[in-house]
Amino acid sequence: MAIKANMNGIGTNGTDEDSFLSYTTPVLLRALLHLLVQDAGVLAVDIAVYDACRIFPGHLRELCSEGALAGVRFRYNDQGGPNDVASDEAASLVWSADVVGDANVVPTCVSEADHLINLESFKGHSYGLTLCGKNHFGSLVNSSRLRPPEAAGIHRYVSGQTMGMHTVLVDLLSNQLLGAKTTLWEGERPSTVSS
């Protein structure tokens, strides 16, 4: 089982500093993991939570691997470290239009998984509403560990401005290793702060 969390708003490149920006809520991730382990009978060691280009801060990893969750694996941008996301060079992503950029593969934890959960963090974005689709930008592995979508040349293909224009979101969601394996699409709404 692989879970694609959205850690886009957290620190990068090995820094373990927390951020006030939007990313998957640790409590929601812990609740999902408990449902999988305690109610669905999935072994904790058979679960990999990943984001190929960001990190999972220590407090999140600790909270989500205590007790019954011991053994849950986290795979992320941990270059040279034990939790670094491994790429499956045999699992390439193919675009349905001429996209100029790096070749892309998915993480090994995705290609080896039988099921995938897409755990998106809903937030505003200049591309409009992408829901869980754009979350898979963190499923790309190529020459850029920090910004794989730019290296792939796909950001301009997120949303077409006219009917019939190519969008890479369709390619990601129809991919046999990403969209076809997805068992659950789950999004969390951003919290609102009242004064």
Side-chain angles (χ1 to χ4, degrees):
M1 170 81 56
I3 300 173
K4 170 58 183 80
N6 187 327
M7 303 308 292
N8 201 40
I10 196 68
T12 56
N13 290 334
T15 183
D16 200 13
E17 295 177 18
D18 208 342
S19 167
F20 292 110
L21 298 174
S22 176
Y23 63 91
T24 296
T25 305
V27 174
L28 176 65
L29 179 59
R30 179 181 169 90
L32 174 63
L33 290 168
H34 269 290
L35 285 171
L36 291 171
V37 171
Q38 294 177 333
D39 294 345
V42 178
L43 297 176
V45 296
D46 289 338
I47 301 172
V49 183
Y50 78 97
D51 191 321
C53 54
R54 296 295 186 255
I55 69 159
F56 287 91
H59 72 274
L60 183 146
R61 294 190 318 265
E62 183 178 331
L63 179 69
C64 295
S65 60
E66 297 174 326
L69 304 179
V72 170
R73 296 168 289 133
F74 291 87
R75 298 294 178 251
Y76 52 92
N77 186 359
D78 184 27
Q79 293 182 39
N83 297 311
D84 198 23
V85 67
S87 60
D88 185 343
E89 298 303 320
S92 61
L93 286 161
V94 178
W95 310 116
S96 59
D98 279 337
V99 175
V100 178
D102 281 5
N104 303 275
V105 296
V106 300
T108 301
C109 63
V110 172
S111 62
E112 291 177 347
D114 293 326
H115 302 282
L116 178 63
I117 294 175
N118 190 332
L119 186 59
E120 174 56 272
S121 182
F122 292 149
K123 58 189 182 293
H125 199 284
S126 61
Y127 293 103
L129 188 63
T130 61
L131 302 175
C132 293
K134 194 168 173 291
N135 191 29
H136 276 308
F137 275 17
S139 296
L140 304 176
V141 182
N142 59 34
S143 68
S144 175
R145 292 304 305 273
L146 180 58
R147 303 201 63 79
E150 282 80 2
I154 62 171
H155 248 134
R156 62 188 170 136
Y157 297 106
V158 171
S159 60
Q161 299 302 314
T162 61
M163 184 64 84
M165 286 185 69
H166 170 69
T167 173
V168 294
L169 300 182
V170 173
D171 294 330
L172 291 170
L173 301 180
S174 64
N175 181 279
Q176 66 178 357
L177 297 173
L178 298 174
K181 283 189 177 185
T182 302
T183 305
L184 176 66
W185 306 86
E186 177 63 39
E188 62 178 305
R189 294 179 304 200
S191 62
T192 55
V193 178
S194 57
S195 49

